[in-house]
């Protein structure tokens, strides 16, 4: 075996080893994305219904001055929760989320607001640390399988900072940037305003319900209902955003690993063809040398 042929054979073995890894990661992502999709399907109706209920209460009690529904007169600081992945090898999933977040941050800064980032996922944390940009808080280690306790921890911190307001070091409004899971092929970065529950949020929920908002009776009173529902609303919306992002991350990773596996298969074919060509060239050269030597011996005799 010639030197060139040995190089190609070594590259084939290396690519085949990589192919086994990418194939295994593809299968793992495919098995986990099924559970992630089921979790999204279960949590989304609850989050939508709870948002509609809170919107109905807030719309029918506009005279109530509640901390989580009242627009601040002067919005100085805006909090942005950015949901990214803990791990890579998921295509452009985290990049798209960061790009959407950056566009939102630019719009808020153009409006004269100071942006306060809150980061979920090591990719987002690494993005900010590498560029030496400040951020308020980080949560990592659960992006591909979030629990409700994670959403509660995030929700409690965001609600606390929102209630403080900018005068006490908090924020005056809160936005969430996450990736909405639509199908195994389509995932889209999305921005929602979490707090305060404004007019545009109420109108959006009405549109989702074909323009009809359900009628509710409040016991003991609307104020008590808001106090009970709003913390649950915040946690439910954050939990749904985490679940949507987790399903999107796994779907993106499955596609990326399938693409890598297919590329490895094509690369093995290419290297095999080149190795065969090198082997044929060596055989041809050996035959030529034998024929040349035989001719030389015949001429000498």
């Amino acid at each position: 075996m010639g030197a060139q042929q040995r190089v190609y054979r070594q590259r084939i073995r290396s690519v085949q080893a990589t192919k086994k890894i990418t194939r295994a990661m593809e299968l793992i992502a495919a098995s986990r994305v099924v559970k992630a999709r089921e979790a999204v399907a279960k949590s989304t109706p609850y989050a939508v219904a709870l948002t509609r209920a809170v919107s109905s209460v807030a719309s029918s009690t506009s005279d109530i001055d509640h901390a989580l529904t009242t627009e601040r007169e002067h919005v100085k600081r805006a909090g942005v929760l950015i949901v990214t992945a803990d791990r890579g090898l998921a295509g452009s999933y985290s990049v798209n989320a960061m790009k959407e977040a950056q566009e939102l941050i630019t719009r808020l800064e153009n409006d004269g607001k100071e942006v306060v980032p809150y980061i979920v996922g090591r990719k987002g944390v690494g993005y900010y640390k590498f560029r030496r940009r400040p951020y308020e808080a980080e949560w990592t280690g659960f992006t591909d399988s979030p629990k409700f306790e994670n959403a509660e921890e995030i929700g409690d911190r965001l609600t606390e900072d929102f209630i403080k307001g900018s005068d006490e070091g908090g924020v005056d409004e809160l936005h969430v940037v996450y990736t909405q899971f639509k199908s195994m092929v389509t995932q889209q970065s999305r921005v929602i305003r979490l707090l305060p529950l404004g007019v545009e949020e109420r109108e959006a929920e009405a549109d989702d319900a074909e323009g009809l908002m359900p009628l509710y009776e409040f016991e003991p009173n609307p104020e008590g209902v808001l106090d009970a529902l709003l913390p649950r609303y915040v946690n439910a919306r954050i939990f749904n955003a985490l679940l949507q992002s987790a399903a999107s991350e796994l779907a993106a990773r499955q596609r990326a690993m399938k693409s890598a596996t297919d590329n490895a298969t094509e690369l093995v074919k290419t290297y095999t063809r080149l190795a065969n060509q090198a082997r044929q060239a060596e055989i041809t050269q050996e035959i030529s040398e034998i024929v040349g030597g035989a001719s030389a011996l015949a001429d000498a005799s």
Side-chain angles (χ1 to χ4, degrees):
M1 184 182 295
Q4 191 174 13
Q5 190 177 349
R6 279 195 298 271
V7 170
Y8 286 132
R9 295 300 178 189
Q10 183 178 0
R11 290 181 181 177
I12 290 172
R13 288 193 296 270
S14 176
V15 173
Q16 286 176 335
T18 304
K19 178 182 174 180
K20 290 180 181 179
I21 297 173
T22 57
R23 177 60 176 165
M25 294 185 68
E26 177 191 349
L27 294 176
I28 292 172
S31 63
R32 297 184 66 182
V33 76
V34 175
K35 294 182 179 179
R37 292 175 62 184
E38 292 176 353
V40 170
K42 291 178 181 178
S43 72
T44 299
Y46 173 75
V48 171
L50 186 56
T51 302
R52 289 170 59 188
V54 174
S55 300
S56 179
V57 179
S59 299
S60 61
T61 56
S62 56
D63 57 327
I64 297 177
D65 186 17
H66 195 282
L68 299 185
T69 60
T70 304
E71 295 279 349
R72 306 289 165 84
E73 186 175 354
H74 300 291
V75 178
K76 300 176 182 177
R77 307 182 82 210
V80 178
L81 177 66
I82 308 171
V83 183
T84 63
D86 279 325
R87 298 186 295 128
L89 301 177
S92 59
Y93 165 75
S94 293
V95 174
N96 291 339
M98 292 305 303
K99 187 183 299 183
E100 187 73 27
Q102 191 57 47
E103 292 177 359
L104 171 63
I105 290 171
T106 301
R107 291 197 301 269
L108 293 173
E109 289 177 341
N110 290 339
D111 292 338
K113 302 173 184 177
E114 178 188 351
V115 177
V116 182
Y118 299 83
I119 314 296
V120 175
R122 294 190 181 95
K123 286 297 178 181
V125 173
Y127 177 91
Y128 270 77
K129 285 185 175 179
F130 179 77
R131 289 161 179 78
R132 298 181 180 179
R133 297 180 182 177
Y135 57 91
E136 190 69 18
E138 65 178 75
W139 296 272
T140 59
F142 56 81
T143 60
D144 57 353
S145 57
K147 307 297 182 186
F148 189 72
E149 291 77 11
N150 305 127
E152 281 186 317
E153 181 182 354
I154 298 171
D156 291 345
R157 172 61 188 274
L158 295 182
T159 303
E160 178 185 350
D161 286 357
F162 179 76
I163 292 175
K164 283 182 182 178
S166 57
D167 294 336
E168 299 180 13
V171 296
D172 297 318
E173 64 182 24
L174 281 168
H175 303 264
V176 179
V177 180
Y178 71 102
T179 305
Q180 183 180 19
F181 180 84
K182 293 188 173 182
S183 68
M184 288 298 296
V185 179
T186 305
Q187 300 88 40
Q188 183 178 1
S189 299
R190 188 185 176 196
V191 178
I192 60 171
R193 194 179 81 159
L194 189 65
L195 292 173
L197 186 64
V199 175
E200 57 272 1
E201 182 69 30
R202 300 169 198 169
E203 290 177 349
E205 293 301 329
D207 291 340
D208 291 341
E210 298 181 354
L212 299 175
M213 293 295 291
L215 298 176
Y216 295 95
E217 293 183 0
F218 310 117
E219 294 291 344
N221 52 59
E223 294 90 336
V225 173
L226 278 177
D227 288 337
L229 282 184
L230 281 171
R232 297 188 180 187
Y233 155 77
V234 172
N235 294 339
R237 291 300 295 267
I238 292 176
F239 186 47
N240 184 252
L242 293 178
L243 291 176
Q244 296 261 7
S245 297
S248 300
E249 176 187 346
L250 291 170
R253 181 168 292 118
Q254 181 188 0
R255 288 201 316 275
M257 291 301 97
K258 185 180 187 308
S259 177
T261 302
D262 294 342
N263 290 339
T265 300
E266 293 300 319
L267 199 55
V268 167
K269 291 180 181 179
T270 300
Y271 281 142
T272 301
R273 184 173 63 252
L274 292 173
N276 291 337
Q277 290 176 353
R279 179 171 176 271
Q280 291 172 358
E282 290 173 3
I283 293 173
T284 302
Q285 183 178 357
E286 290 175 0
I287 292 174
S288 300
E289 291 173 353
I290 293 173
V291 171
S295 300
L297 289 174
D299 294 339
S301 62

